[in-house]
Amino acid sequence: MVEKSDRAPLLDWEEVPPAEKRVPTPEQEKDVKGPSPANNRALGCTAPGIGWSTSPGGPGSFTSAVSSIDTSLSSRSTVPTLAEWDAQCLDKDDHTPAPGQGEVPHDIMVKWEEKDPIVAVFVVTFDTRSGNMLEWCLPGDMNLEGVEFKAMASGSHRVSSDFIYFRKGGYFGLACFANMVVESVVERGARMKSVGILSTSYTLLYRYMSFLEHQVRLQLKTPGQYSPLEAFFEDKRSVLPPDGESVVTACPGSAWGAAINHCMHPEMKITHPAGCMSQFIQFFGEQIMVLWKLALLRRRILIFSPPPVGVVCYRVYCCCCLANVSIPGVGVAVPEFRPFFYVNVADIDTLDTELSYVACTTEKIFEEKRDLYDVYVDNQNVRTTRESLKPLLRLNTADREKYRRLTEQRQMLLYSQEENGDCVSSEEDHFILFFLEQNNRIFQTLSEVAGSPEPILTQESVRAMGLDPHGDRLFLLHLLETYGYDSLLVTDHPCCS
């Protein structure tokens, strides 16, 4: 007799569960190294504080790996380098922490784990008379006003398919768009639809990309067939709190400590073969250093690009990764650098109230709305109308040196992956840790100078941050103002003396 499961049957968007774990023999244990954080992340074991999955690796393995690294790093007064961090990750055969050493309480892990954070599923269509329309959705009583313009970007009729990340209130969405030629006078020869979902976190949406792509093609061929979407929502729906608001919270530093590449940046599954970070570096080149400074200053960054918009949403994500800082207490009082992903004219009122964000759009009219942004990025052209920010758009010697190191280390990583079969090191990790190390270096030096008997910035202290004493003076002044280092004295041009 077959035992009946209390769970819904395996659906077409789900992965086949892994085989039952077997207990290794002593001989096998000798040949198997403990999992590194990079390996865990590749398997989907990521920080649950921002909606990351903790399976299949499970909370125990990730917590142990993080704790052992956290313990050794927390006792240091300096920020670890990329090489030191990699060594910490790779040299730990036993990830079991000593009692009380940085363990994450089990109740926190359980509370944060979001297995099925889907709060809505919908279909958007283009009507030749009414324009973008919400065709169908679940739940039926959820407020999805305006989602028809987020899930189908302006200008999408020029492309055959696309995917779009966006925000809707306190939720994040992912929609897959497709455009099919039809022999219909009513539809004017083209049928366009988007199938999308809303979630409490954008970091898990990639799991359903292929499902959404399949469903939008199905909707184009056989409109009105909603049964797969209904089954999907029933299986993946999230239970919301009574107030109906988003349940996403920040990752507490006290619990995760130095697990910087797991807690400080959210993971997005990259569908481009070359990878999101690689394309970001190749696309912007040295201009990455300009974007890095503006992101660290929490400026409002708007990226314009014609469709397709999917790859531009990844650029929004990459920009957010430039501003990570893992030193406790730093950035608490500054505005959160929030990813809005795709925005349109319906978001103007919302953006008008934001102090800091990074977003992308396909609508050229935003260029004229200069009060909505501090920095406008059109193709590789980064520009601003703010006189105080214009000097920051010029690259200096220190910027070029940092970019040289970034590209050099990236080439070494790619060589290691090709020659040695290194599957542990991730280009995404390398990119994020490079800027995280740089940011930590700046704020650690600022904190040390601020706590010294003579809190005055000198050329030596500025160089210790990896900055140019002359070219980065204005950037440094903006930084002190943004992060509230009022005790530091910057008089008589100490950086330029």
Side-chain angles (χ1 to χ4, degrees):
M1 180 177 181
V2 179
E3 183 179 352
K4 184 178 180 180
S5 171
D6 59 353
R7 192 185 186 284
L10 193 69
L11 303 174
D12 62 352
W13 56 84
E14 295 185 288
E15 297 180 359
V16 178
E20 184 179 355
K21 186 176 180 181
R22 301 170 185 262
V23 179
T25 64
E27 290 76 14
Q28 291 173 323
E29 287 181 339
K30 292 180 182 179
D31 298 331
V32 179
K33 275 189 95 172
S36 68
N39 278 335
N40 280 338
R41 205 159 67 83
L43 293 170
C45 184
T46 43
I50 39 181
W52 295 14
S53 170
T54 53
S55 59
S61 59
F62 174 71
T63 304
S64 301
V66 168
S67 300
S68 58
I69 299 171
D70 181 34
T71 304
S72 60
L73 295 182
S74 61
S75 62
R76 300 181 47 157
S77 59
T78 58
V79 179
T81 64
L82 283 170
E84 291 172 327
W85 177 263
D86 289 339
Q88 289 282 352
C89 292
L90 297 177
D91 291 343
K92 299 292 182 180
D93 286 341
D94 182 9
H95 295 303
T96 305
Q101 290 186 343
E103 293 187 13
V104 180
H106 178 69
D107 59 338
I108 293 180
M109 295 291 296
V110 173
K111 180 179 179 181
W112 285 356
E113 186 173 11
E114 288 285 347
K115 291 184 177 179
D116 301 312
I118 305 301
V119 300
V121 58
F122 57 86
V123 177
V124 167
T125 189
F126 177 78
D127 183 83
T128 55
R129 295 180 179 179
S130 304
N132 294 14
M133 294 179 58
L134 180 63
E135 176 183 314
W136 174 90
C137 70
L138 278 179
D141 59 350
M142 188 166 185
N143 179 17
L144 293 179
E145 182 181 357
V147 77
E148 63 270 25
F149 299 106
K150 294 177 178 292
M152 194 177 290
S154 177
S156 291
H157 61 279
R158 300 189 186 98
V159 298
S160 60
S161 63
D162 199 2
F163 63 95
I164 308 168
Y165 283 88
F166 60 90
R167 280 187 58 176
K168 167 62 177 169
Y171 303 114
F172 292 93
L174 170 63
C176 287
F177 165 84
N179 183 353
M180 183 177 75
V181 176
V182 293
E183 294 182 1
S184 170
V185 177
V186 175
E187 295 177 285
R188 297 180 185 174
R191 182 177 299 158
M192 293 176 281
K193 292 182 183 288
S194 282
V195 176
I197 54 178
L198 286 183
S199 173
T200 54
S201 167
Y202 66 84
T203 60
L204 294 181
L205 293 174
Y206 73 85
R207 291 178 170 183
Y208 311 114
M209 179 85 77
S210 60
F211 170 72
L212 295 176
E213 290 173 338
H214 174 73
Q215 287 302 309
V216 73
R217 289 193 295 268
L218 181 64
Q219 288 298 319
L220 289 175
K221 295 176 181 178
T222 55
Q225 297 295 322
Y226 306 124
S227 298
L229 296 174
E230 292 171 347
F232 169 84
F233 184 68
E234 184 63 29
D235 187 69
K236 297 296 181 183
R237 67 187 304 173
S238 176
V239 179
L240 298 180
D243 59 4
E245 293 298 323
S246 175
V247 296
V248 177
T249 58
C251 202
S254 59
W256 293 97
I260 47 185
N261 65 327
H262 292 271
C263 180
M264 295 305 296
H265 78 278
E267 178 186 37
M268 288 179 69
K269 182 72 172 182
I270 306 307
T271 56
H272 276 269
C276 167
M277 301 301 177
S278 176
Q279 289 205 0
F280 187 67
I281 294 172
Q282 293 174 6
F283 185 79
F284 284 109
E286 292 182 333
Q287 290 293 311
I288 286 181
M289 296 305 158
V290 173
L291 294 173
W292 161 65
K293 293 179 185 179
L294 296 168
L296 203 58
L297 293 176
R298 298 295 197 267
R299 293 305 189 252
R300 299 172 299 170
I301 302 175
L302 183 62
I303 304 173
F304 168 80
S305 177
V309 75
V311 66
V312 192
C313 289
Y314 284 147
R315 290 174 195 158
V316 170
Y317 162 68
C318 292
C319 279
C320 285
C321 294
L322 299 175
N324 293 330
V325 180
S326 66
I327 298 177
V330 173
V332 175
V334 300
E336 180 187 358
F337 197 48
R338 308 174 69 181
F340 269 76
F341 297 107
Y342 175 73
V343 295
N344 55 32
V345 291
D347 297 300
I348 287 179
D349 290 341
T350 300
L351 294 180
D352 192 39
T353 63
E354 292 294 324
L355 299 176
S356 175
Y357 71 84
V358 56
C360 62
T361 187
T362 60
E363 300 185 16
K364 198 69 174 177
I365 191 173
F366 272 96
E367 187 175 5
E368 302 171 8
K369 307 290 184 181
R370 297 179 179 179
D371 292 338
L372 296 179
Y373 59 84
D374 299 314
V375 180
Y376 189 81
V377 182
D378 186 349
N379 205 19
Q380 288 99 333
N381 184 18
V382 182
R383 60 179 185 265
T384 179
T385 58
R386 306 282 188 269
E387 293 298 327
S388 62
L389 295 179
K390 286 183 178 180
L392 301 185
L393 304 186
R394 294 193 293 266
L395 293 168
N396 57 50
T397 304
D399 294 329
R400 292 189 172 91
E401 173 59 22
K402 282 191 284 287
Y403 181 72
R404 184 195 64 78
R405 287 194 293 112
L406 174 64
T407 53
E408 187 178 83
Q409 292 177 15
R410 175 174 170 266
Q411 290 301 321
M412 292 175 63
L413 174 64
L414 296 177
Y415 177 80
S416 176
Q417 291 175 338
E418 181 178 351
E419 293 296 317
N420 305 323
D422 180 8
C423 299
V424 173
S425 301
S426 160
E427 188 173 359
E428 181 181 11
D429 280 342
H430 168 261
F431 177 90
I432 291 167
L433 286 173
F434 179 90
F435 286 99
L436 181 62
E437 178 188 336
Q438 177 62 49
N439 297 343
N440 284 353
R441 187 178 175 186
I442 290 174
F443 288 106
Q444 183 166 314
T445 303
L446 287 177
S447 298
E448 291 173 354
V449 174
S452 64
E454 296 184 2
I456 301 176
L457 288 172
T458 64
Q459 287 195 29
E460 289 73 20
S461 57
V462 174
R463 289 195 180 95
M465 301 178 198
L467 301 177
D468 187 320
H470 300 277
D472 283 320
R473 172 176 165 76
L474 184 59
F475 167 63
L476 191 55
L477 291 174
H478 279 298
L479 202 67
L480 297 179
E481 180 183 3
T482 301
Y483 288 85
Y485 283 92
D486 300 328
S487 60
L488 287 176
L489 299 178
V490 186
T491 57
D492 299 326
H493 302 282
C495 298
C496 308
S497 59

